[in-house]
Amino acid sequence: MPWQAPPERMDGAPIWRYRDNPIINRNPLKGVARIFNSAVMPYQEGFIGVFRGEQTNGIPNIYLGRSQDAIHWEFDEEKIPFVDEEGNPFMPIYAYDPRLVKIEDTYYIIWCQDFYGAAIGIAKTKDFQKFERIENPFLPFNRNAVLFPRKVNGNYLMLSRPSDSGHTPFGDIFVSESPDMVYWGKHRHVMGKSSEWWEMLKIGGGAAPIETTEGWLFFYHGVTGTCNGYVYSIGGAILDISNPSIVKYRCENFMLTPEEWYEERGFVPNVLFPCATLHDAGTGRIAIYYGAADTYVGLAFTRVEDIIGYIKEHSVTRESDTEIGRR
Ligand code: BMA
């Protein structure tokens, strides 16, 4: 996986950017103006990813990409050809913010799409050749769906953020369970927006949680409202390993906030939107993939031990974080 050593001086959270960011520039593909908010995974000898491509007609869809080093990417020219259970073409009208999660021997792609309003779409693949849609897990309106990388207490778990049909000015993260990836229930509140100013307006899931000895390490996005629009930062929390609706630690400070030109300048300025991590259990290295300014893909690094230490040291949890989330 990609890696660069940390800079000598770090003032905030122990996360540092890849020096040659952004890793994906404008006009990356014929008919696609921007790629951002995308997710990657190790696959065979290299890496594979699902990428939000904003087409030149302005409509987002999902493209497959492959890489040897997880930094330089080659994309398929056509959108991912989703099919229904019978193998017939079944393309979403639009699709954005894909996540890619492997559970057992199957890869799941989860995204936001039209289902008579913004809602969650999901498909599975084993070979990245055939992409079969499965039933939409939730009613509209919902965004930011993230699967856990393994079953917990016998069920699949999905985080999501119920919303409205527009540029939602509110929102908390919930977790739902399923025995079969079709029927979802036992919904629990996980965490809400907080009184910290950087995440005062809404939050949403980011990368698939990483299993650690302290719990599920979870990177998410937190949004604040300003007189000039929303600002999206990356936040960090640790969820209980066997009951992830309980937040054990939640960092009062952002992990990363827009600072660089490619984060502050673009189609939507001041947006950091994490969708995936790569991590190596042996070294504790983590690479975080995030969309920048709805225009580019950025890469940042941290280490499991350092980031958990920082989150714990600066943890502030409230009742709505630590309770079971059922009312
Ligand atoms: C959210 C989503 C993201 C986007 C963000 C900032 O509502 O649509 O895809 O990055 O807004 O524009």
Side-chain angles (χ1 to χ4, degrees), residues 36-37 52 96-97 143 167 202 232 268 271 273 294:
F36 54 100
N37 300 5
R52 169 178 176 160
Y96 60 80
D97 300 350
R143 291 187 176 87
H167 297 289
K202 58 176 170 176
Y232 284 66
V268 183
V271 178
F273 201 90
D294 284 10

Side-chain angles (χ1 to χ4, degrees), residues 36-37 52 54 96-97 99 112 143-144 161 166-168 202 221 223 230 232 267-273 275 291-295:
F36 54 100
N37 300 5
R52 169 178 176 160
E54 217 82 342
Y96 60 80
D97 300 350
R99 273 70 166 191
C112 182
R143 291 187 176 87
N144 302 311
R161 210 279 311 283
H167 297 289
T168 311
K202 58 176 170 176
H221 67 259
V223 184
Y230 294 170
Y232 284 66
F267 189 72
V268 183
N270 298 314
V271 178
L272 300 192
F273 201 90
C275 288
D294 284 10
T295 304

